[in-house]
Amino acid sequence: MTRIENYDLSGRNTFGMKVKCALFIEYSTAKELESIDWDSLPKPVMHIGGGSNLLFTKDFPGTILHSCINYVKYVDVGLDEIPVMAGSGVIFDDFVANVSGNGLWGPENLSLIPGEVGAAAVQNIGAYGVEVKDIIKGVVCYDTVERKSVKFQNDECRYGYRDSMFKGAQGRYIVTAVLFRVSRAFAPKLEYKGVREALGLSPDAAVPEDLTPQRVREAIIGVRRAKLPDPAEIGSAGSFFKNPVTDAVSFAHVIDVAREEFGPDVTVPHYILEGGMVKIPAAWLIDRCGFKGAVQGGAAVYEKQPLVIVNAEGKATPSDIIALEKRIIEGVGNKFGIVLHPEVEHV
């Protein structure tokens, strides 16, 4: 177990914010985590994964914990549905590569999402019609209040859009392992036009029977790389805002505004959800408000994907990013009457 005081977190958050914490602890096993003297730690205590969904707004006065529990274990390989246990410190994309490379279906649409397995289960990451909750069977945690290991079934995790009960538990539960369910059964999810195009399929074309999870993974990677920055080269936290979900009346207002400003033939992309609610891509709203490429100090809206705010040259401050975030929220709200909410956690 590693313990470092006054630790530089610059390399622990993909935004590249130059901040420090009072104490950093990195552990390799659940037993090491359980052995920590919690009462003696500088407060508050926060657990991070790959730091890919965080915006540190200032130095952190307490303790930052990080998991290095790193294993992927196939529990039973003889069934169509195969349980796979992964340690919380496993790079999530490495897990996807492992599963897809073994010809198994489930996480391939989540390829190249940055972060680690534990954080993925907390955040309920999602992309291209799949959320990680769809393949999670259970989550193993350390309960910092009861000081013991606990297990939660999928339905106990109360998963929602980029949400789970772990986010509302104020850090009580630290994920140590996640049990996934993947499948041998042919089950590609190709509802998104861009993914079908990357596979060379027209909207109405039948899915070829020889399509593999690895081919879908490669297509997803190509789509993501074409429009999203590599955090290793340009600091960002991926999608900065959640896609807003609104009612039919508010969506009709968005259509009216769009047609008035951009012409009667404009199409507002959207997805109809259960109960008649409508999800609108935040990227479209931001783009139509003219924010693509907008600059605020060292921060900017990524020119290829307006849903992403970047630390353009590595010199952005937290205040630059927050100011740009506020500009975007106000601009979209004033034009379309839709309130955007950040997906990135502010610390």
Side-chain angles (χ1 to χ4, degrees):
M1 186 160 56
T2 301
R3 297 172 62 102
I4 304 176
E5 295 182 357
N6 197 31
Y7 183 78
D8 181 2
L9 292 167
S10 301
R12 295 285 179 171
N13 70 99
T14 57
F15 249 133
M17 294 294 98
K18 296 175 174 59
V19 294
K20 296 182 179 181
C21 62
L23 177 65
F24 178 79
I25 297 179
E26 193 168 60
Y27 56 92
S28 299
T29 66
K31 287 187 176 181
E32 286 186 352
L33 176 64
E34 295 169 9
S35 72
I36 293 173
D37 181 3
W38 298 90
D39 296 331
S40 69
L41 298 179
K43 305 297 188 297
V45 177
M46 179 180 178
H47 199 287
I48 65 171
S52 58
N53 199 52
L54 295 174
L55 172 60
F56 282 101
T57 61
K58 58 185 177 181
D59 286 343
F60 189 75
T63 303
I64 294 291
L65 299 172
H66 180 255
S67 169
C68 276
I69 303 177
N70 195 342
Y71 66 86
V72 176
K73 178 182 179 182
Y74 289 82
V75 181
D76 190 334
V77 296
L79 305 173
D80 280 344
E81 184 178 280
I82 301 171
V84 187
M85 184 74 81
S88 56
V90 173
I91 301 299
F92 187 79
D93 192 55
D94 289 348
F95 166 76
V96 180
N98 188 308
V99 172
S100 299
N102 280 305
L104 301 170
W105 296 93
E108 61 281 349
N109 285 36
L110 304 176
S111 293
L112 213 62
I113 295 180
E116 298 171 0
V117 162
V122 172
Q123 176 72 6
N124 187 24
I125 60 173
Y128 304 107
V130 175
E131 291 180 313
V132 76
K133 71 173 179 59
D134 301 332
I135 60 169
I136 286 179
K137 190 169 186 178
V139 180
V140 183
C141 301
Y142 178 67
D143 184 337
T144 62
V145 174
E146 297 293 333
R147 308 289 171 89
K148 65 180 183 180
S149 178
V150 293
K151 298 178 181 179
F152 298 97
Q153 298 300 311
N154 181 291
D155 59 352
E156 296 176 299
C157 297
R158 301 199 299 274
Y159 281 120
Y161 176 53
R162 304 297 178 268
D163 197 17
S164 70
M165 72 95 168
F166 304 114
K167 295 184 74 172
Q170 299 180 334
R172 174 175 177 174
Y173 302 109
I174 296 176
V175 177
T176 55
V178 180
L179 181 62
F180 296 94
R181 47 190 174 197
V182 299
S183 178
R184 297 184 190 279
F186 186 71
K189 296 178 176 62
L190 307 178
E191 290 83 4
Y192 277 69
K193 178 182 177 183
V195 177
R196 293 184 71 92
E197 290 177 346
L199 287 165
L201 299 174
S202 64
D204 299 324
V207 179
E209 295 181 358
D210 62 349
L211 183 65
T212 65
Q214 184 62 28
R215 281 182 59 197
V216 175
R217 168 174 164 76
E218 290 167 358
I220 295 286
I221 289 174
V223 171
R224 290 184 66 88
R225 283 181 171 163
K227 63 181 183 178
L228 296 173
D230 182 348
E233 298 177 0
I234 303 175
S236 82
S239 299
F240 196 93
F241 296 99
K242 298 178 183 179
N243 291 320
V245 175
T246 187
D247 57 32
V249 174
S250 297
F251 179 59
H253 176 70
V254 172
I255 293 176
D256 290 342
V257 172
R259 287 177 176 173
E260 182 177 345
E261 181 161 347
F262 306 113
D265 296 327
V266 69
T267 299
V268 179
H270 63 282
Y271 308 95
I272 304 298
L273 307 178
E274 293 182 8
M277 299 298 284
V278 183
K279 181 188 289 187
I280 309 171
W284 186 90
L285 296 168
I286 295 167
D287 189 20
R288 290 292 177 162
C289 288
F291 284 111
K292 184 183 287 186
V295 175
Q296 182 78 41
V301 176
Y302 191 52
E303 58 186 12
K304 296 181 181 179
Q305 170 52 273
L307 193 56
V308 176
I309 294 178
V310 297
N311 182 356
E313 298 179 355
K315 299 178 181 178
T317 64
S319 59
D320 291 338
I321 294 167
I322 291 171
L324 184 53
E325 171 192 351
K326 290 181 177 178
R327 279 177 57 194
I328 293 169
I329 291 173
E330 290 175 1
V332 171
N334 291 337
K335 181 183 287 291
F336 292 110
I338 298 293
V339 178
L340 295 182
H341 296 281
E343 181 176 325
V344 172
E345 182 179 357
H346 295 50
V347 181

